[in-house]
Amino acid sequence: MTHPKSCERAKRHQCRCSDCGGAQHGWPYGLDLARDPSPTGRQEARERSDIAWAASSPPKGKRGPSKQRQAAATDSATVDLIEWLSENPQTVERIQEIGDLLTGRVVGELDKRFGGDRPRETRRRLTEHFWCDLLVALAEGIEEFSKAMDRIPEYVTAAIIDSRKAENRSPLLEALVTLAVRTAWEPIKDMIRAGGVEELQRTCRILAVLICPAPEDHAAVQNGALLPLAQEGMLEISRERLEQVFPAEWVRRLRDDLGGA
């Protein structure tokens, strides 16, 4: 798949790439940074997020946090996860494997079934948080049905459709969602047997954060990826920033998970 580097290295919190349909947004560069033996790239990414945070204004009065402040907070968390990945190369390779599955086999099947003469139009519709929805739902489905694997694709399909409806995102054909889920599921099921449930959940969650164009605008990623990852892959400063920009219920759940800290 021909793909512009501007999408892989995206700094703006949006994606309209009809080349990949959002399936290659952000995460290839995130893995490049994690693999780089030099810390320079990761340090520069952290400096950018720190500068953006410092430049954003804290909320005043009854006004909530600005979009710029929310974006800076999620960028800070993303840099933490990339730093964590730099010390966990096995997870990097699993993320690469799942990312390649999405950009290759899954996108290919969707193009064949739904692309017609204008595959770019179909792909463009997927840029609105479809892939991060898919990854978060997979992580949750694995946890929910780890002892009943055959039920996971059905659960994931329903979770994606319900999530998009709840967040007022553009609807997608159920057949398209089902095909994407089932195409991704068979190889992922083999990965569960090889690496275990917990590791694959972590892999899907980190990839969901890396691939999401704007986690601050995506409740499924906030609750299904950033919240569980905050316990193991984030610095205290990033957790504090997220607490300042995310809803009170998210903060309460985070503190409960951290033992009431």
Side-chain angles (χ1 to χ4, degrees):
M1 181 189 301
T2 303
H3 189 247
K5 292 294 183 183
S6 59
C7 181
E8 294 181 15
R9 294 171 172 255
K11 295 184 177 67
R12 298 179 65 186
H13 284 223
Q14 63 180 20
C15 181
R16 292 291 181 268
C17 180
S18 60
D19 286 289
C20 73
Q24 284 183 275
H25 182 90
W27 68 266
Y29 183 55
L31 295 193
D32 285 346
L33 289 178
R35 289 186 175 112
D36 193 340
S38 169
T40 302
R42 297 189 293 275
Q43 290 170 352
E44 290 174 349
R46 187 172 300 283
E47 287 172 5
R48 285 194 297 270
S49 71
D50 287 345
I51 290 170
W53 177 261
S56 65
S57 300
K60 296 179 180 179
K62 295 183 178 180
R63 289 189 303 175
S66 66
K67 287 294 183 185
Q68 291 82 0
R69 197 163 182 82
Q70 291 177 321
T74 58
D75 282 347
S76 179
T78 300
V79 173
D80 285 354
L81 293 174
I82 291 171
E83 191 69 53
W84 184 89
L85 286 172
S86 72
E87 300 173 357
N88 293 272
Q90 286 187 325
T91 304
V92 171
E93 296 315 310
R94 288 195 177 94
I95 290 174
Q96 183 73 58
E97 192 173 357
I98 293 178
D100 289 344
L101 170 65
L102 299 183
T103 60
R105 184 170 170 181
V106 177
V107 170
E109 287 296 319
L110 295 181
D111 280 351
K112 284 193 293 185
R113 177 78 178 274
F114 297 99
D117 296 329
R118 304 175 69 183
R120 284 177 175 268
E121 291 301 317
T122 300
R123 290 182 187 178
R124 187 176 287 111
R125 294 181 63 198
L126 302 179
T127 61
E128 193 182 12
H129 294 283
F130 173 69
W131 301 106
C132 27
D133 268 338
L134 172 62
L135 290 159
V136 169
L138 278 169
E140 292 176 346
I142 291 166
E143 181 174 11
E144 186 77 16
F145 295 109
S146 59
K147 295 182 180 179
M149 290 291 183
D150 291 340
R151 296 180 60 191
I152 290 179
E154 179 183 349
Y155 170 89
V156 172
T157 299
I160 293 170
I161 292 171
D162 290 347
S163 172
R164 298 186 71 80
K165 185 176 181 180
E167 297 191 42
N168 295 315
R169 303 200 185 282
S170 58
L172 295 170
L173 288 174
E174 183 172 348
L176 182 149
V177 177
T178 299
L179 179 61
V181 170
R182 292 195 176 278
T183 303
W185 174 240
E186 287 304 317
I188 287 176
K189 187 163 60 174
D190 293 336
M191 294 179 204
I192 293 176
R193 296 191 182 103
V197 168
E198 185 176 340
E199 175 61 21
L200 189 60
Q201 282 182 287
R202 182 185 298 112
T203 299
C204 288
R205 286 166 176 158
I206 295 176
L207 182 53
V209 175
L210 296 180
I211 207 171
C212 185
E216 68 277 6
D217 292 331
H218 195 179
V221 170
Q222 294 168 25
N223 296 321
L226 284 171
L227 185 62
L229 290 171
Q231 301 175 56
E232 60 176 338
M234 288 183 204
L235 298 177
E236 180 65 26
I237 188 171
S238 294
R239 290 200 295 265
E240 290 175 355
R241 289 174 179 177
L242 292 177
E243 287 183 8
Q244 291 185 42
V245 302
F246 280 178
E249 175 62 17
W250 190 93
V251 176
R252 184 194 65 75
R253 291 174 61 194
L254 173 64
R255 292 179 177 175
D256 286 348
D257 289 345
L258 294 174

